[in-house]
């Protein structure tokens, strides 16, 4: 698996495609967000419980480069790894078409935490993410 610390296999649904028969660009953001949420869940982190504690992780910046389009019924693998830069956690997320592992999307997502309404560090994330951080 190399640098990746988490992966999720998904399948394109018909309604995610546009008139050209390919996945609409906006749906890729849903795919990578779902992958991040599943990763967090795998570490025992619940978004609902975080919010109850006054901790709200939010996307500060998102960059996506489209490589190969997906079509209805295609299975794909969404992979991620992460780095910490100051108070930001940067998720590097790539999607590959499962049948041939051809790159579909390369993305980076910068996230920050708002704690009790203020931009802040998140000791919980620092602790939980420590084993997964790439240099």
């Amino acid at each position: 698996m190399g640098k990746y610390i988490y992966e999720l296999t998904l399948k394109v649904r018909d309604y995610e495609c546009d008139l050209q028969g390919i996945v609409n660009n906006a749906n890729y953001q849903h795919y990578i967000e779902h992958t991040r949420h599943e990763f967090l869940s795998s570490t025992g982190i619940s978004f609902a419980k975080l919010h109850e504690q006054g901790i709200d992780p939010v996307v500060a910046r998102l960059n996506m480069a489209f490589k190969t389009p997906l079509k209805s019924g295609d299975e794909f693998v969404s992979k991620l790894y992460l780095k910490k830069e100051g108070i930001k956690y940067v998720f590097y997320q790539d999607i590959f078409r499962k049948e041939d592992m051809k790159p579909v999307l390369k993305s980076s997502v910068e996230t920050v935490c708002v704690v009790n309404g203020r931009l802040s560090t998140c000791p919980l994330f620092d602790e939980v993410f420590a084993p997964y951080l790439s240099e």
Side-chain angles (χ1 to χ4, degrees):
M1 194 154 107
K3 63 187 171 192
Y4 299 105
I5 59 169
Y6 186 80
E7 68 177 55
L8 181 66
T9 300
L10 297 165
K11 186 175 182 179
V12 174
R13 296 163 288 209
D14 292 338
Y15 66 84
E16 296 169 330
C17 298
D18 56 24
L19 289 174
Q20 292 91 9
I22 59 175
V23 171
N24 180 275
N25 65 81
N27 286 304
Y28 291 98
Q29 188 170 348
H30 293 284
Y31 297 157
I32 62 176
E33 180 175 27
H34 184 64
T35 303
R36 285 192 312 280
H37 285 217
E38 288 297 311
F39 166 67
L40 292 175
S41 181
S42 78
T43 67
I45 294 175
S46 158
F47 261 88
K49 288 182 182 171
L50 285 176
H51 181 71
E52 290 170 7
Q53 297 168 21
I55 302 169
D56 292 302
V58 295
V59 172
R61 179 173 291 161
L62 168 67
N63 183 39
M64 297 190 299
F66 302 96
K67 303 298 182 181
T68 303
L70 290 171
K71 298 178 182 173
S72 181
D74 281 348
E75 287 190 330
F76 60 94
V77 181
S78 180
K79 300 182 179 192
L80 67 76
Y81 64 96
L82 78 143
K83 294 182 179 182
K84 186 170 185 193
E85 297 177 5
I87 65 168
K88 297 184 295 189
Y89 280 99
V90 182
F91 289 84
Y92 293 90
Q93 297 185 247
D94 300 325
I95 294 177
F96 301 89
R97 188 170 53 201
K98 189 171 181 179
E99 74 177 51
D100 56 7
M101 294 308 285
K102 191 168 186 173
V104 170
L105 178 84
K106 294 193 133 331
S107 68
S108 61
V109 182
E110 296 179 8
T111 61
V112 294
C113 281
V114 176
V115 179
N116 297 317
R118 299 188 65 162
L119 183 62
S120 180
T121 60
C122 183
L124 173 66
F125 281 0
D126 290 343
E127 178 183 331
V128 171
F129 292 164
Y132 302 106
L133 291 173
S134 299
E135 293 301 322

